[in-house]
Amino acid sequence: MMIGSILNPINSSIIAVALAPIGAALGADAAQTAWLISALYLATSIGQPLVGRLVDMYGPKRLFLAGAALTGVAGVIGTLAPNLTVLVAARVVLGFGTCAGYPAAMYLIRSEAERTGMKSPAGVLTTLAVTGQTVAVIGPTLGGLLIGLGGWRSTFAINIPLAIACLVLGWIYLPGRTALAPSGAADGAPPPDGGPRPRNRLDWAGILLFAATLVSLLLFLMDARTDRAWLIALTLLAGTGFALRERRAADPFIDVGVFAGNIPLLATYARTFVAYTVSYSFIYGFTQWLEDGRGLSASAAGLLLLPTFAVGIVVSTLTGRKAVVRGKLVVGAVAQLVACAMLLAVGGHAAVWLLVAVAVVLGLPQGLVSLANQNALYFQADPARMGASSGLLRTFMYLGAMVASSATGAFFGRRATTSGLHGLALFMLAAAAVFLVLTLVDRSLGRIAAPQETKEAAPAR
């Protein structure tokens, strides 16, 4: 499960150091190579809830294996790609292939917890979160090492052995039957109440409308300009059509009626969106400013980000087994507010210790917020739709990343200046304030503090 869940974050981070050599080798400029990032985000934002829904319907093992196979195919395509167009296509395939790992893992964790009677498998959930954070740290470093050894194509080739590992281990160890879907969707068993079997047919109209909504929104966010406002109109039109379609569908892709009635889950999605807007604004904006505004080298700027991820990993490890969610989110939101305020005091000649201090403070929410929202979703989501719910959590995360990317471009323009950084910091401050308010008004979070287990866990399968 851990290997499968890292396929997406490792491909999100490893590409950062490969963009320049890819552009040089294929004669592409920065705007063209940026599609290698956007293509993965687009495919993943659409694919996560889609594959999650398929996990709910057909069980995690077959989707996990299919995703691993698709990841391996994408690795081969990228390794042999003759031009940038094929590389972008490889990233799209990669985006869909890496979608299965996380929702399959969340589904399996919930299924195993119910089988063993474990109320809150905090240790496993913590490991899942820390694994992703660790990959975020080593991704660029691993990418640099691979490029030094085998060129930029090796950053695509790395997916081949990882996919093979997922296929072998998944085939041997993952259970073929699970007990989460009360309708019997995952294993073909009849419903426990003796009612009719579900049709288990994919809602293709809902999927297409959902994809149109996200694609139009993300295309606008990638280059937000007034002359592209028609994309927002298209987003609203497709989104409205999607909501109407799903309300009437017998077996909807995303049951908007259930989600609309689950206010705590919607609040978790909203918190994830604003929290990652702040987090990615820092990663994108602060890193660019360190190079342009502070005059540091790319390697030095990368080193200054290490405290953020290192502190995040330590905090996740130390607090992960504590089931209290509300306190973690409050501390994370306050830490984001403090870090954003500190950015307002940063100038072109800021001392290195101040820059490190900013990175350290941002590490606190890095270690608290993601894990807390993941734990909240674990308890709030309908067990029969755990895969789709987990996939949507990642979708909102990537929406935050796209908003952050758009905001960074809007405040910086062609160069990351100190005034632009301060403007971005004010934007981040507002988002962090919204995050704090969403946490304080959500009283349901106080109930997510149950004992770790209700009875002794049975041996894991």
Short mmCIF file of all heavy atoms in Angstrom, two decimals, residues 8 11-12 34-52 54 70-71 74 87-101 103 207 210-219 222 253 391-392 394-399 402:
data_model
loop_
_atom_site.label_atom_id
_atom_site.label_comp_id
_atom_site.label_asym_id
_atom_site.label_seq_id
_atom_site.Cartn_x
_atom_site.Cartn_y
_atom_site.Cartn_z
N ASN A 8 2.14 8.66 -6.98
CA ASN A 8 1.71 9.99 -7.41
C ASN A 8 2.60 11.09 -6.86
O ASN A 8 3.10 11.93 -7.63
CB ASN A 8 0.26 10.21 -7.03
CG ASN A 8 -0.31 11.45 -7.71
OD1 ASN A 8 -0.22 12.55 -7.18
ND2 ASN A 8 -0.90 11.27 -8.88
N ASN A 11 6.10 11.29 -8.55
CA ASN A 11 6.09 11.84 -9.90
C ASN A 11 5.72 13.32 -9.92
O ASN A 11 6.03 14.02 -10.87
CB ASN A 11 5.12 11.03 -10.78
CG ASN A 11 5.72 9.73 -11.25
OD1 ASN A 11 6.57 9.71 -12.13
ND2 ASN A 11 5.31 8.63 -10.64
N SER A 12 5.05 13.78 -8.87
CA SER A 12 4.76 15.21 -8.77
C SER A 12 6.00 16.01 -8.42
O SER A 12 6.17 17.14 -8.87
CB SER A 12 3.68 15.45 -7.69
OG SER A 12 2.47 14.84 -8.05
N ALA A 34 6.10 23.39 -18.79
CA ALA A 34 5.17 23.50 -17.67
C ALA A 34 3.97 22.56 -17.85
O ALA A 34 3.33 22.17 -16.87
CB ALA A 34 4.69 24.93 -17.51
N TRP A 35 3.67 22.19 -19.09
CA TRP A 35 2.57 21.26 -19.34
C TRP A 35 2.85 19.88 -18.76
O TRP A 35 1.93 19.10 -18.52
CB TRP A 35 2.29 21.16 -20.83
CG TRP A 35 1.38 22.25 -21.31
CD1 TRP A 35 1.72 23.39 -21.95
CD2 TRP A 35 -0.04 22.29 -21.13
NE1 TRP A 35 0.61 24.16 -22.20
CE2 TRP A 35 -0.49 23.50 -21.71
CE3 TRP A 35 -0.96 21.44 -20.55
CZ2 TRP A 35 -1.83 23.87 -21.71
CZ3 TRP A 35 -2.30 21.80 -20.55
CH2 TRP A 35 -2.73 23.00 -21.13
N LEU A 36 4.12 19.56 -18.54
CA LEU A 36 4.44 18.29 -17.91
C LEU A 36 3.93 18.24 -16.48
O LEU A 36 3.56 17.17 -15.96
CB LEU A 36 5.96 18.05 -17.93
CG LEU A 36 6.59 17.88 -19.32
CD1 LEU A 36 8.10 17.87 -19.23
CD2 LEU A 36 6.08 16.59 -19.96
N ILE A 37 3.87 19.40 -15.81
CA ILE A 37 3.30 19.48 -14.46
C ILE A 37 1.78 19.52 -14.54
O ILE A 37 1.08 18.77 -13.85
CB ILE A 37 3.83 20.73 -13.74
CG1 ILE A 37 5.35 20.66 -13.58
CG2 ILE A 37 3.16 20.89 -12.37
CD1 ILE A 37 5.97 21.90 -12.97
N SER A 38 1.27 20.40 -15.40
CA SER A 38 -0.18 20.59 -15.49
C SER A 38 -0.89 19.32 -15.96
O SER A 38 -2.00 19.01 -15.50
CB SER A 38 -0.49 21.74 -16.45
OG SER A 38 0.12 22.94 -16.03
N ALA A 39 -0.27 18.58 -16.88
CA ALA A 39 -0.89 17.36 -17.40
C ALA A 39 -1.14 16.35 -16.28
O ALA A 39 -2.19 15.70 -16.22
CB ALA A 39 -0.03 16.74 -18.49
N LEU A 40 -0.15 16.21 -15.40
CA LEU A 40 -0.32 15.28 -14.28
C LEU A 40 -1.42 15.75 -13.34
O LEU A 40 -2.23 14.94 -12.86
CB LEU A 40 1.00 15.13 -13.52
CG LEU A 40 1.00 14.05 -12.44
CD1 LEU A 40 1.08 12.66 -13.06
CD2 LEU A 40 2.16 14.24 -11.47
N TYR A 41 -1.44 17.06 -13.05
CA TYR A 41 -2.47 17.60 -12.15
C TYR A 41 -3.86 17.40 -12.74
O TYR A 41 -4.80 17.01 -12.04
CB TYR A 41 -2.24 19.09 -11.90
CG TYR A 41 -1.20 19.38 -10.84
CD1 TYR A 41 -0.37 20.49 -10.95
CD2 TYR A 41 -1.05 18.56 -9.73
CE1 TYR A 41 0.58 20.76 -9.98
CE2 TYR A 41 -0.10 18.83 -8.77
CZ TYR A 41 0.72 19.93 -8.89
OH TYR A 41 1.65 20.21 -7.94
N LEU A 42 -4.01 17.69 -14.03
CA LEU A 42 -5.32 17.53 -14.67
C LEU A 42 -5.79 16.08 -14.62
O LEU A 42 -6.92 15.79 -14.24
CB LEU A 42 -5.25 18.01 -16.12
CG LEU A 42 -5.28 19.52 -16.35
CD1 LEU A 42 -4.92 19.86 -17.78
CD2 LEU A 42 -6.64 20.09 -16.01
N ALA A 43 -4.91 15.17 -15.02
CA ALA A 43 -5.28 13.76 -15.04
C ALA A 43 -5.58 13.25 -13.63
O ALA A 43 -6.53 12.50 -13.42
CB ALA A 43 -4.16 12.93 -15.68
N THR A 44 -4.78 13.67 -12.67
CA THR A 44 -4.96 13.18 -11.31
C THR A 44 -6.22 13.75 -10.68
O THR A 44 -6.94 13.03 -9.97
CB THR A 44 -3.74 13.55 -10.45
OG1 THR A 44 -2.56 13.02 -11.06
CG2 THR A 44 -3.86 12.97 -9.06
N SER A 45 -6.50 15.03 -10.91
CA SER A 45 -7.69 15.64 -10.32
C SER A 45 -8.96 14.96 -10.79
O SER A 45 -9.91 14.80 -10.02
CB SER A 45 -7.74 17.13 -10.68
OG SER A 45 -6.63 17.82 -10.14
N ILE A 46 -8.98 14.55 -12.04
CA ILE A 46 -10.14 13.84 -12.58
C ILE A 46 -10.09 12.37 -12.19
O ILE A 46 -11.11 11.76 -11.82
CB ILE A 46 -10.18 13.98 -14.11
CG1 ILE A 46 -10.36 15.44 -14.51
CG2 ILE A 46 -11.31 13.13 -14.71
CD1 ILE A 46 -10.10 15.70 -15.98
N GLY A 47 -8.91 11.79 -12.27
CA GLY A 47 -8.78 10.35 -12.07
C GLY A 47 -8.95 9.88 -10.65
O GLY A 47 -9.43 8.77 -10.41
N GLN A 48 -8.56 10.69 -9.65
CA GLN A 48 -8.64 10.22 -8.26
C GLN A 48 -10.05 9.81 -7.87
O GLN A 48 -10.27 8.69 -7.40
CB GLN A 48 -8.11 11.31 -7.31
CG GLN A 48 -6.60 11.45 -7.31
CD GLN A 48 -5.91 10.37 -6.47
OE1 GLN A 48 -6.53 9.50 -5.90
NE2 GLN A 48 -4.60 10.43 -6.42
N PRO A 49 -11.07 10.68 -8.01
CA PRO A 49 -12.42 10.23 -7.63
C PRO A 49 -12.97 9.15 -8.56
O PRO A 49 -13.74 8.30 -8.12
CB PRO A 49 -13.26 11.51 -7.70
CG PRO A 49 -12.51 12.43 -8.61
CD PRO A 49 -11.06 12.10 -8.40
N LEU A 50 -12.57 9.19 -9.85
CA LEU A 50 -13.04 8.15 -10.78
C LEU A 50 -12.51 6.79 -10.38
O LEU A 50 -13.27 5.82 -10.25
CB LEU A 50 -12.60 8.50 -12.21
CG LEU A 50 -12.82 7.42 -13.27
CD1 LEU A 50 -14.29 7.03 -13.34
CD2 LEU A 50 -12.29 7.86 -14.63
N VAL A 51 -11.20 6.70 -10.17
CA VAL A 51 -10.62 5.42 -9.77
C VAL A 51 -11.10 5.04 -8.38
O VAL A 51 -11.34 3.86 -8.09
CB VAL A 51 -9.08 5.50 -9.82
CG1 VAL A 51 -8.46 4.21 -9.30
CG2 VAL A 51 -8.61 5.76 -11.25
N GLY A 52 -11.28 6.04 -7.51
CA GLY A 52 -11.82 5.75 -6.19
C GLY A 52 -13.20 5.12 -6.26
O GLY A 52 -13.53 4.20 -5.52
N LEU A 54 -14.31 3.37 -8.78
CA LEU A 54 -14.10 2.01 -9.28
C LEU A 54 -13.63 1.08 -8.17
O LEU A 54 -13.99 -0.10 -8.13
CB LEU A 54 -13.09 2.03 -10.42
CG LEU A 54 -13.56 2.71 -11.72
CD1 LEU A 54 -12.41 2.82 -12.70
CD2 LEU A 54 -14.72 1.96 -12.34
N LEU A 70 -0.61 0.47 -15.57
CA LEU A 70 -0.66 1.70 -16.35
C LEU A 70 0.53 2.60 -16.04
O LEU A 70 1.08 3.27 -16.92
CB LEU A 70 -1.98 2.44 -16.04
CG LEU A 70 -2.52 3.39 -17.12
CD1 LEU A 70 -2.72 2.66 -18.44
CD2 LEU A 70 -3.83 4.01 -16.65
N THR A 71 0.95 2.61 -14.77
CA THR A 71 2.13 3.39 -14.39
C THR A 71 3.38 2.86 -15.09
O THR A 71 4.23 3.64 -15.56
CB THR A 71 2.32 3.34 -12.86
OG1 THR A 71 1.17 3.90 -12.22
CG2 THR A 71 3.56 4.11 -12.43
N ALA A 74 3.31 3.97 -18.68
CA ALA A 74 3.69 5.39 -18.77
C ALA A 74 5.20 5.56 -18.64
O ALA A 74 5.81 6.41 -19.31
CB ALA A 74 2.96 6.20 -17.70
N LEU A 87 5.84 13.07 -24.37
CA LEU A 87 6.14 13.16 -22.93
C LEU A 87 4.92 13.63 -22.15
O LEU A 87 4.61 13.10 -21.07
CB LEU A 87 7.30 14.12 -22.68
CG LEU A 87 8.72 13.55 -22.65
CD1 LEU A 87 9.68 14.63 -22.20
CD2 LEU A 87 8.80 12.35 -21.73
N VAL A 88 4.21 14.63 -22.68
CA VAL A 88 3.00 15.11 -22.02
C VAL A 88 1.95 13.99 -21.97
O VAL A 88 1.28 13.80 -20.95
CB VAL A 88 2.44 16.36 -22.74
CG1 VAL A 88 1.07 16.73 -22.18
CG2 VAL A 88 3.39 17.54 -22.59
N ALA A 89 1.84 13.24 -23.07
CA ALA A 89 0.91 12.11 -23.09
C ALA A 89 1.30 11.08 -22.03
O ALA A 89 0.43 10.50 -21.35
CB ALA A 89 0.89 11.47 -24.47
N ALA A 90 2.61 10.85 -21.88
CA ALA A 90 3.08 9.91 -20.85
C ALA A 90 2.70 10.40 -19.45
O ALA A 90 2.32 9.60 -18.58
CB ALA A 90 4.59 9.74 -20.95
N ARG A 91 2.76 11.71 -19.23
CA ARG A 91 2.39 12.25 -17.92
C ARG A 91 0.89 12.11 -17.67
O ARG A 91 0.46 11.91 -16.53
CB ARG A 91 2.82 13.71 -17.83
CG ARG A 91 4.32 13.93 -17.80
CD ARG A 91 4.91 13.65 -16.46
NE ARG A 91 4.57 14.66 -15.48
CZ ARG A 91 4.99 14.66 -14.21
NH1 ARG A 91 5.75 13.67 -13.77
NH2 ARG A 91 4.65 15.61 -13.38
N VAL A 92 0.09 12.23 -18.72
CA VAL A 92 -1.36 12.02 -18.56
C VAL A 92 -1.63 10.57 -18.16
O VAL A 92 -2.40 10.30 -17.22
CB VAL A 92 -2.11 12.38 -19.86
CG1 VAL A 92 -3.57 11.95 -19.77
CG2 VAL A 92 -2.01 13.87 -20.14
N VAL A 93 -1.02 9.62 -18.88
CA VAL A 93 -1.18 8.20 -18.54
C VAL A 93 -0.68 7.95 -17.12
O VAL A 93 -1.28 7.21 -16.34
CB VAL A 93 -0.42 7.32 -19.55
CG1 VAL A 93 -0.49 5.85 -19.14
CG2 VAL A 93 -0.99 7.51 -20.95
N LEU A 94 0.42 8.60 -16.77
CA LEU A 94 1.00 8.46 -15.43
C LEU A 94 0.03 8.99 -14.37
O LEU A 94 -0.13 8.39 -13.30
CB LEU A 94 2.32 9.23 -15.37
CG LEU A 94 3.31 8.91 -14.26
CD1 LEU A 94 3.68 7.43 -14.27
CD2 LEU A 94 4.55 9.77 -14.44
N GLY A 95 -0.63 10.10 -14.69
CA GLY A 95 -1.59 10.66 -13.75
C GLY A 95 -2.72 9.70 -13.45
O GLY A 95 -3.08 9.50 -12.28
N PHE A 96 -3.27 9.08 -14.48
CA PHE A 96 -4.36 8.13 -14.27
C PHE A 96 -3.85 6.85 -13.61
O PHE A 96 -4.52 6.26 -12.77
CB PHE A 96 -5.05 7.81 -15.60
CG PHE A 96 -5.98 8.88 -16.06
CD1 PHE A 96 -5.66 9.68 -17.15
CD2 PHE A 96 -7.18 9.11 -15.40
CE1 PHE A 96 -6.52 10.68 -17.59
CE2 PHE A 96 -8.05 10.11 -15.82
CZ PHE A 96 -7.72 10.90 -16.92
N GLY A 97 -2.64 6.41 -14.00
CA GLY A 97 -2.11 5.18 -13.41
C GLY A 97 -1.81 5.30 -11.93
O GLY A 97 -2.03 4.35 -11.16
N THR A 98 -1.33 6.46 -11.50
CA THR A 98 -0.97 6.62 -10.09
C THR A 98 -2.15 6.99 -9.21
O THR A 98 -1.98 7.20 -8.01
CB THR A 98 0.12 7.71 -9.96
OG1 THR A 98 -0.38 8.96 -10.50
CG2 THR A 98 1.39 7.32 -10.69
N CYS A 99 -3.35 7.07 -9.79
CA CYS A 99 -4.54 7.44 -9.03
C CYS A 99 -5.03 6.33 -8.11
O CYS A 99 -5.77 6.61 -7.16
CB CYS A 99 -5.69 7.82 -9.98
SG CYS A 99 -5.55 9.46 -10.67
N ALA A 100 -4.67 5.10 -8.38
CA ALA A 100 -5.28 3.98 -7.66
C ALA A 100 -4.68 3.76 -6.28
O ALA A 100 -5.37 3.27 -5.38
CB ALA A 100 -5.14 2.70 -8.49
N GLY A 101 -3.43 4.10 -6.10
CA GLY A 101 -2.73 3.74 -4.87
C GLY A 101 -3.37 4.26 -3.60
O GLY A 101 -3.62 3.51 -2.65
N PRO A 103 -6.57 5.82 -2.90
CA PRO A 103 -7.90 5.36 -2.53
C PRO A 103 -7.96 3.87 -2.22
O PRO A 103 -8.71 3.44 -1.35
CB PRO A 103 -8.77 5.71 -3.75
CG PRO A 103 -7.83 5.96 -4.86
CD PRO A 103 -6.57 6.45 -4.24
N ILE A 207 -19.42 11.31 -15.24
CA ILE A 207 -17.95 11.38 -15.32
C ILE A 207 -17.52 12.46 -16.30
O ILE A 207 -16.60 13.26 -16.02
CB ILE A 207 -17.39 10.01 -15.74
CG1 ILE A 207 -17.60 8.98 -14.61
CG2 ILE A 207 -15.90 10.12 -16.07
CD1 ILE A 207 -17.30 7.56 -15.02
N PHE A 210 -18.21 15.91 -14.87
CA PHE A 210 -17.24 16.18 -13.82
C PHE A 210 -15.89 16.56 -14.43
O PHE A 210 -15.24 17.52 -13.99
CB PHE A 210 -17.09 14.95 -12.93
CG PHE A 210 -16.10 15.09 -11.82
CD1 PHE A 210 -16.43 15.78 -10.66
CD2 PHE A 210 -14.83 14.54 -11.93
CE1 PHE A 210 -15.51 15.91 -9.62
CE2 PHE A 210 -13.91 14.67 -10.90
CZ PHE A 210 -14.25 15.35 -9.74
N ALA A 211 -15.48 15.81 -15.46
CA ALA A 211 -14.21 16.11 -16.12
C ALA A 211 -14.25 17.48 -16.78
O ALA A 211 -13.27 18.25 -16.70
CB ALA A 211 -13.90 15.03 -17.16
N ALA A 212 -15.36 17.82 -17.44
CA ALA A 212 -15.47 19.13 -18.09
C ALA A 212 -15.40 20.25 -17.06
O ALA A 212 -14.78 21.31 -17.31
CB ALA A 212 -16.79 19.21 -18.86
N THR A 213 -16.01 20.04 -15.90
CA THR A 213 -15.96 21.05 -14.84
C THR A 213 -14.53 21.28 -14.38
O THR A 213 -14.07 22.43 -14.28
CB THR A 213 -16.83 20.60 -13.64
OG1 THR A 213 -18.17 20.38 -14.08
CG2 THR A 213 -16.82 21.65 -12.55
N LEU A 214 -13.82 20.20 -14.09
CA LEU A 214 -12.46 20.34 -13.58
C LEU A 214 -11.49 20.86 -14.63
O LEU A 214 -10.65 21.72 -14.36
CB LEU A 214 -11.96 19.01 -13.04
CG LEU A 214 -12.40 18.63 -11.62
CD1 LEU A 214 -11.69 17.36 -11.19
CD2 LEU A 214 -12.11 19.74 -10.64
N VAL A 215 -11.59 20.34 -15.86
CA VAL A 215 -10.65 20.76 -16.91
C VAL A 215 -10.80 22.25 -17.20
O VAL A 215 -9.80 22.98 -17.29
CB VAL A 215 -10.87 19.93 -18.19
CG1 VAL A 215 -10.11 20.54 -19.36
CG2 VAL A 215 -10.43 18.49 -17.98
N SER A 216 -12.03 22.73 -17.35
CA SER A 216 -12.22 24.16 -17.63
C SER A 216 -11.73 25.02 -16.47
O SER A 216 -11.11 26.08 -16.67
CB SER A 216 -13.70 24.45 -17.93
OG SER A 216 -14.53 24.02 -16.86
N LEU A 217 -11.99 24.57 -15.23
CA LEU A 217 -11.52 25.34 -14.07
C LEU A 217 -10.00 25.36 -13.99
O LEU A 217 -9.38 26.42 -13.80
CB LEU A 217 -12.11 24.75 -12.79
CG LEU A 217 -11.63 25.37 -11.47
CD1 LEU A 217 -11.97 26.85 -11.41
CD2 LEU A 217 -12.20 24.62 -10.28
N LEU A 218 -9.38 24.20 -14.15
CA LEU A 218 -7.93 24.13 -14.03
C LEU A 218 -7.22 24.84 -15.18
O LEU A 218 -6.17 25.46 -14.99
CB LEU A 218 -7.48 22.67 -13.97
CG LEU A 218 -7.96 21.89 -12.73
CD1 LEU A 218 -7.45 20.46 -12.77
CD2 LEU A 218 -7.51 22.57 -11.45
N LEU A 219 -7.80 24.80 -16.38
CA LEU A 219 -7.21 25.55 -17.49
C LEU A 219 -7.25 27.05 -17.23
O LEU A 219 -6.31 27.78 -17.57
CB LEU A 219 -7.95 25.22 -18.79
CG LEU A 219 -7.68 23.85 -19.40
CD1 LEU A 219 -8.55 23.62 -20.63
CD2 LEU A 219 -6.20 23.69 -19.76
N MET A 222 -4.57 27.85 -14.53
CA MET A 222 -3.21 27.78 -15.04
C MET A 222 -2.78 29.08 -15.71
O MET A 222 -1.59 29.37 -15.80
CB MET A 222 -3.09 26.61 -16.01
CG MET A 222 -2.99 25.26 -15.32
SD MET A 222 -3.52 23.87 -16.37
CE MET A 222 -2.61 24.19 -17.86
N PHE A 253 -22.00 8.64 -10.27
CA PHE A 253 -20.54 8.63 -10.14
C PHE A 253 -20.14 9.19 -8.78
O PHE A 253 -19.36 8.58 -8.04
CB PHE A 253 -19.94 9.45 -11.28
CG PHE A 253 -18.49 9.82 -11.11
CD1 PHE A 253 -17.55 8.88 -10.73
CD2 PHE A 253 -18.07 11.13 -11.34
CE1 PHE A 253 -16.21 9.22 -10.58
CE2 PHE A 253 -16.75 11.48 -11.19
CZ PHE A 253 -15.82 10.53 -10.81
N GLY A 391 -10.42 9.74 -3.02
CA GLY A 391 -9.98 10.35 -4.28
C GLY A 391 -10.32 11.82 -4.36
O GLY A 391 -9.52 12.63 -4.82
N LEU A 392 -11.53 12.19 -3.89
CA LEU A 392 -11.92 13.60 -3.90
C LEU A 392 -11.04 14.44 -2.98
O LEU A 392 -10.81 15.62 -3.25
CB LEU A 392 -13.39 13.73 -3.49
CG LEU A 392 -14.42 13.57 -4.60
CD1 LEU A 392 -15.83 13.65 -4.02
CD2 LEU A 392 -14.25 14.66 -5.66
N ARG A 394 -7.87 14.08 -2.57
CA ARG A 394 -6.69 14.43 -3.38
C ARG A 394 -7.06 15.46 -4.46
O ARG A 394 -6.25 16.33 -4.79
CB ARG A 394 -6.13 13.16 -4.03
CG ARG A 394 -5.39 12.23 -3.07
CD ARG A 394 -4.04 12.82 -2.71
NE ARG A 394 -3.29 11.97 -1.82
CZ ARG A 394 -2.35 11.11 -2.20
NH1 ARG A 394 -2.08 10.97 -3.48
NH2 ARG A 394 -1.68 10.41 -1.32
N THR A 395 -8.28 15.39 -5.00
CA THR A 395 -8.70 16.36 -6.01
C THR A 395 -8.69 17.77 -5.42
O THR A 395 -8.20 18.72 -6.05
CB THR A 395 -10.11 16.02 -6.52
OG1 THR A 395 -10.06 14.78 -7.22
CG2 THR A 395 -10.61 17.10 -7.49
N PHE A 396 -9.21 17.93 -4.22
CA PHE A 396 -9.22 19.25 -3.59
C PHE A 396 -7.81 19.72 -3.24
O PHE A 396 -7.51 20.91 -3.27
CB PHE A 396 -10.11 19.24 -2.34
CG PHE A 396 -11.57 19.39 -2.65
CD1 PHE A 396 -12.38 18.28 -2.84
CD2 PHE A 396 -12.13 20.65 -2.79
CE1 PHE A 396 -13.72 18.41 -3.14
CE2 PHE A 396 -13.48 20.80 -3.09
CZ PHE A 396 -14.28 19.68 -3.27
N MET A 397 -6.94 18.78 -2.94
CA MET A 397 -5.55 19.13 -2.70
C MET A 397 -4.92 19.72 -3.96
O MET A 397 -4.24 20.75 -3.92
CB MET A 397 -4.77 17.90 -2.25
CG MET A 397 -3.30 18.15 -1.95
SD MET A 397 -2.41 16.64 -1.55
CE MET A 397 -2.17 15.95 -3.20
N TYR A 398 -5.17 19.07 -5.11
CA TYR A 398 -4.59 19.56 -6.36
C TYR A 398 -5.25 20.85 -6.83
O TYR A 398 -4.61 21.67 -7.50
CB TYR A 398 -4.68 18.47 -7.43
CG TYR A 398 -3.75 17.32 -7.17
CD1 TYR A 398 -4.22 16.01 -7.09
CD2 TYR A 398 -2.39 17.54 -6.95
CE1 TYR A 398 -3.36 14.96 -6.83
CE2 TYR A 398 -1.53 16.49 -6.68
CZ TYR A 398 -2.02 15.20 -6.62
OH TYR A 398 -1.17 14.17 -6.34
N LEU A 399 -6.51 21.05 -6.50
CA LEU A 399 -7.15 22.33 -6.79
C LEU A 399 -6.43 23.44 -6.03
O LEU A 399 -6.20 24.53 -6.56
CB LEU A 399 -8.62 22.29 -6.41
CG LEU A 399 -9.57 21.58 -7.38
CD1 LEU A 399 -10.97 21.48 -6.77
CD2 LEU A 399 -9.62 22.29 -8.72
N MET A 402 -3.24 24.23 -7.84
CA MET A 402 -3.42 25.02 -9.05
C MET A 402 -3.74 26.47 -8.72
O MET A 402 -3.27 27.39 -9.40
CB MET A 402 -4.54 24.41 -9.90
CG MET A 402 -4.22 23.03 -10.45
SD MET A 402 -2.67 22.95 -11.39
CE MET A 402 -3.02 24.08 -12.73
#
